[in-house]
Amino acid sequence: MTASDTSSSPALVTAAILVIGDEILSGRTKDKNIGYIAEYLTNIGIELREVRIVPDVQEEIVSALNALRSRQTYVFTTGGIGPTHDDITADSVAAAFGVSIDHDPRAIAMLSERFPADQLNEARLRMARIPAGANLIANSVSKAPGFNIGNVYVMAGVPSIMQAMLDALAPTLKTGVKILSDTVRAGLREGDIGTALAEVAKAHPDVSIGSYPFFSDEGPDTNVVVRSRDPQKLAEAMAAVKTMLAAEQARLGV
């Protein structure tokens, strides 16, 4: 490969999710956003690297946000941008970036599409407080916007609203090469193939190979999943996995 070929190769685009909310940590609310965002990002060529869950404490939010945004291409936050006193995500993001925060006329205009002027009370106007310099993320469900500042995208915790915001912001994201995957059912228990599978993985360092045990009507079994951005390397590794599985099945008389 020439230098020019290397420079034209798509860069790896990575992401982290920061889930904010005491209700998630207490178990009162079951998170439904992490899996959705992870699959969404994978499908558009962004690799999710980290997920953190933090309480409604500004110092915790700021610390986690600054750590994640310095390491990943993008950070997506969910939760804490509603109308109540414990919705402190916007203030925390402003603190992390060292900027001021105030009612944003653009956000107020969005809220006005849903609420008459006499219903835009102090609580609802909290949802229009946006850090200085941020771009708004449209919300087709309830109108209260999310926002983007730097490489951080701040979204609602309500799944339907988060999903609408993600659809709105996705076209603005840079993406990398999508991860391809292939799966084969081993017909063996995970412990039967662990050693041999490790040897296959060692021989194919540029691909990701994982084993995932499950129970079927026939008893314990394992799916082997191979992932790579390179279709040729994916095919070569999967061929090696299938050869290994056939050998292990023969050895064990399966």
Side-chain angles (χ1 to χ4, degrees):
M1 180 179 290
T2 66
S4 59
D5 291 331
T6 302
S7 63
S8 63
S9 299
L12 179 64
V13 182
T14 65
I17 299 172
L18 180 61
V19 180
I20 300 165
D22 292 340
E23 70 278 9
I24 299 293
L25 290 169
S26 71
R28 181 173 355 192
T29 299
K30 307 298 186 290
D31 178 83
K32 296 181 180 179
N33 292 327
I34 294 172
Y36 185 93
I37 297 171
E39 184 175 7
Y40 196 108
L41 296 179
T42 296
N43 288 339
I44 63 174
I46 297 176
E47 184 173 318
L48 180 63
R49 288 285 185 85
E50 296 183 75
V51 176
R52 292 196 192 185
I53 304 175
V54 295
D56 296 310
V57 177
Q58 180 163 312
E59 293 78 7
E60 297 282 350
I61 298 169
V62 170
S63 176
L65 187 60
N66 283 336
L68 294 173
R69 71 188 180 97
S70 68
R71 288 202 296 267
Q72 310 302 343
T73 311
Y74 297 118
V75 179
F76 301 92
T77 81
T78 65
I81 59 172
T84 60
H85 71 282
D86 58 347
D87 288 311
I88 62 169
T89 296
D91 293 270
S92 301
V93 173
F97 279 86
V99 299
S100 61
I101 182 168
D102 204 347
H103 294 103
D104 189 307
R106 300 169 300 168
I108 294 174
M110 289 180 174
L111 288 172
S112 297
E113 295 177 21
R114 182 179 184 190
F115 300 104
D118 62 345
Q119 293 183 25
L120 274 179
N121 56 27
E122 182 179 351
R124 291 193 174 106
L125 284 172
R126 282 181 59 82
M127 297 186 291
R129 297 177 71 252
I130 305 294
N135 300 308
L136 301 188
I137 300 173
N139 169 6
S140 60
V141 177
S142 66
K143 297 302 179 181
F147 61 88
N148 151 239
I149 182 169
N151 63 338
V152 175
Y153 291 79
V154 178
M155 300 182 292
V158 177
S160 61
I161 299 176
M162 183 283 296
Q163 292 168 20
M165 288 181 175
L166 193 55
D167 284 339
L169 69 87
T172 70
L173 303 174
K174 64 180 180 180
T175 59
V177 179
K178 295 180 181 179
I179 296 178
L180 307 173
S181 69
D182 197 2
T183 303
V184 60
R185 182 170 173 172
L188 296 166
R189 294 171 296 182
E190 191 176 38
D192 295 330
I193 64 172
T195 301
L197 188 62
E199 291 300 316
V200 175
K202 184 178 179 180
H204 298 271
D206 295 330
V207 303
S208 170
I209 301 176
S211 61
Y212 305 92
F214 67 95
F215 286 92
S216 69
D217 292 339
E218 291 78 33
D221 205 333
T222 311
N223 281 327
V224 178
V225 180
V226 180
R227 298 182 179 91
S228 176
R229 290 181 171 82
D230 186 314
Q232 182 176 344
K233 290 180 179 179
L234 177 72
E236 291 171 352
M238 179 52 77
V241 167
K242 290 179 177 178
T243 298
M244 177 275 292
L245 291 176
E248 291 303 302
Q249 289 171 351
R251 181 178 67 83
L252 296 169
V254 175

